[in-house]
Amino acid sequence: MGSSTTGFLGPIVGGVLVALVTFWTTRQKARAEVRKLDAEAERTRAETSRILTEIGVDRTARRSLDNLPKGWAADGPAVEDYDFGVDAEVFCTGHASSFIRSHRNPKGFATLAQSIRADSYRGTRLRISAMIKTRDVLGWSGLWMRIDGEDDRTLGFDNMYDRRITGTTGWNVYSVVLDVPPHSADISFGVLLDGDGRVWIDHVKFEVVSDAVAVTERRLPSLPANLDFSAGVE
């Protein structure tokens, strides 16, 4: 094995070295690419988490919102503290009801709601009614309706706060009656739960009623009263 052998092995050794260098470089690049992809994925997860935090919805809440009945939306400052769904076992009429169920110690209220254009009801007195059932409501619950103008100004509102539903109750009919001014734009309505507990809603109805049916909105008095406090307390 002389110079001829060395000359024969030279290209082979050189080729092996090139292959090893290429393999090592490619491996390092692949590892770098994997690290880059992992970093991008982590940034995406962090950004998604930040966005969900800013709008007040976490992953648990998002899963609970997947069960919303068709045509309805979940809203409210503490929507992440509640579950929403359709109940095929507890209902008053038909085949199902919808519910709001709190997590423990919610930080505010949430509502199951809809909004519609006011076109069909302008200039009328409108009553929304529903069958509602509650269980262990420590805060309060109520049916509500709001009338808004084109400038988003509230023209009428009642959420049953002065006749709120608490505790555990069977199915009862509740109603809200408001005037819908000619310049109304939207009508929003639904059921709300503020605090621990659970509320079911079923058999929601819209009816145009006569002026003989009193509105339920608490309106301001036309004159001041008891300015010297002589009437005592209520």
Side-chain angles (χ1 to χ4, degrees):
M1 296 179 66
S3 58
S4 61
T5 303
T6 304
F8 173 74
L9 292 177
I12 296 177
V13 173
V16 171
L17 288 174
V18 170
L20 288 174
V21 171
T22 301
F23 171 76
W24 180 256
T25 303
T26 303
R27 187 179 181 185
Q28 290 298 100
K29 288 182 178 178
R31 287 181 173 176
E33 187 65 24
V34 169
R35 287 195 295 269
K36 179 181 178 182
L37 291 174
D38 286 343
E40 290 178 352
E42 184 59 34
R43 283 196 296 271
T44 299
R45 286 191 291 268
E47 181 66 13
T48 301
S49 178
R50 182 187 66 78
I51 292 172
L52 291 176
T53 299
E54 287 181 356
I55 64 176
V57 178
D58 61 17
R59 291 180 176 84
T60 302
R62 179 56 57 193
R63 286 195 296 271
S64 77
L65 299 186
D66 291 340
N67 299 317
L68 286 170
K70 184 177 180 180
W72 293 81
D75 202 356
V79 69
E80 72 276 10
D81 290 339
Y82 295 85
D83 293 324
F84 306 82
V86 174
D87 196 327
E89 296 182 0
V90 178
F91 56 88
C92 181
T93 62
H95 303 284
S97 67
S98 189
F99 67 85
I100 307 174
R101 178 181 56 216
S102 74
H103 300 173
R104 189 171 182 180
N105 298 321
K107 298 183 291 293
F109 77 88
T111 178
L112 185 67
Q114 288 192 39
S115 291
I116 62 172
R117 295 291 300 173
D119 305 41
S120 300
Y121 299 101
R122 290 190 185 112
T124 69
R125 180 162 292 182
L126 182 62
R127 176 169 62 198
I128 178 176
S129 61
M131 299 297 296
I132 292 177
K133 170 186 171 73
T134 60
R135 178 187 295 167
D136 300 328
V137 173
L138 299 183
W140 66 284
S141 180
L143 187 67
W144 65 271
M145 179 165 59
R146 189 183 70 235
I147 314 296
D148 293 323
E150 290 289 357
D151 57 356
D152 292 330
R153 185 168 63 91
T154 299
L155 306 178
F157 178 70
D158 179 23
N159 63 0
M160 288 185 55
Y161 183 75
D162 59 338
R163 54 197 191 283
R164 49 195 176 273
I165 310 167
T166 61
T168 298
T169 64
W171 288 109
N172 290 293
V173 62
Y174 299 91
S175 61
V176 168
V177 181
L178 295 176
D179 287 326
V180 185
H183 54 290
S184 299
D186 305 311
I187 301 172
S188 300
F189 61 94
V191 62
L192 69 87
L193 178 60
D194 188 355
D196 289 293
R198 184 166 179 170
V199 58
W200 290 265
I201 184 170
D202 195 0
H203 196 54
V204 183
K205 292 198 307 183
F206 266 74
E207 300 171 283
V208 174
V209 297
S210 71
D211 290 346
V213 179
V215 296
T216 56
E217 180 182 24
R218 297 187 71 180
R219 295 182 171 178
L220 296 175
S222 56
L223 297 172
N226 195 27
L227 299 183
D228 61 358
F229 306 102
S230 60
V233 297
E234 293 183 352

